[in-house]
Amino acid sequence: MEVYLRKLTTKDVCKQYLKWMNDIKITQFTEQRFKKKKLSDLKEFIIQKSKSKNEYLFGIFVKKKDLHVGNIKLGPINFNHKTAYISYFIGDRSFQNYGIATKVIKLICKYAKKKKLRKLKAACYSINEPSIVVLKKNGFKLEAVFKNELLIKNKKYNQSILTKFL
């Protein structure tokens, strides 16, 4: 399945996108799960990221259908040290488990390299094994584990930090 990245605009905000952001199965391992979203929240987030000098928000699109199926963000970028975080999700569940996340991480690594970054980082809930597997497929390595860093329903979980040198 061919995919591409495109910077999101407010025109990409729709009921389907809102449904993903309010779906606990989609957001369970993100900080997005703490607040119910409205369409206006999504538009404001996209506007904020489009004005940012150190964050790039892309939609993940399936080429054949030109369909928005998720997002990936590069940033915040530390230009002094040439490092950045990445975060991502596949929102449309019917497109999960097709290797799309693996492909878009590869694409964002190429983009980061063009931006002259030297290192990428991803922070994951340690119990989010599929995400860790996808990162490792792209050459990320476990660099740190923060014990009992995260809470889900008052239960403590570790946070894994995976990194990749470009």
Side-chain angles (χ1 to χ4, degrees), residues 7 45-58 73-80 83-84 111 115 117:
K7 285 188 180 176
F45 183 74
I46 289 171
I47 290 167
Q48 179 189 10
K49 296 307 167 202
S50 69
K51 291 178 181 177
S52 175
K53 302 267 190 254
N54 72 336
E55 291 182 288
Y56 299 99
L57 177 64
F58 296 96
K73 182 171 71 88
L74 177 67
I77 299 170
N78 182 318
F79 289 103
N80 295 317
T83 62
Y111 183 82
K115 290 285 183 187
L117 299 179

Side-chain angles (χ1 to χ4, degrees), residues 111-155:
Y111 183 82
K113 197 168 187 170
K114 285 181 187 175
K115 290 285 183 187
K116 307 240 186 288
L117 299 179
R118 65 179 186 83
K119 183 180 182 183
L120 293 181
K121 302 175 270 188
C124 297
Y125 288 66
S126 294
I127 59 170
N128 187 357
E129 291 177 26
S131 192
I132 291 170
V133 166
V134 162
L135 288 162
K136 286 182 175 180
K137 281 183 183 177
N138 276 283
F140 282 74
K141 296 189 180 347
L142 182 64
E143 187 165 312
V145 176
F146 293 99
K147 301 287 184 190
N148 300 317
E149 181 77 6
L150 306 164
L151 292 172
I152 300 177
K153 297 180 182 176
N154 291 321
K155 190 172 177 189

Side-chain angles (χ1 to χ4, degrees), residues 52-110:
S52 175
K53 302 267 190 254
N54 72 336
E55 291 182 288
Y56 299 99
L57 177 64
F58 296 96
I60 301 165
F61 290 84
V62 172
K63 204 170 206 174
K64 189 174 183 180
K65 299 181 181 193
D66 198 35
L67 185 65
H68 182 205
V69 298
N71 292 349
I72 189 165
K73 182 171 71 88
L74 177 67
I77 299 170
N78 182 318
F79 289 103
N80 295 317
H81 298 290
K82 300 183 182 335
T83 62
Y85 276 91
I86 63 167
S87 56
Y88 53 90
F89 71 93
I90 305 300
D92 188 326
R93 286 196 220 171
S94 65
F95 286 92
Q96 291 180 343
N97 302 312
Y98 285 98
I100 291 173
T102 301
K103 290 175 184 177
V104 298
I105 291 170
K106 187 175 287 188
L107 291 173
I108 207 72
C109 287
K110 286 181 184 177

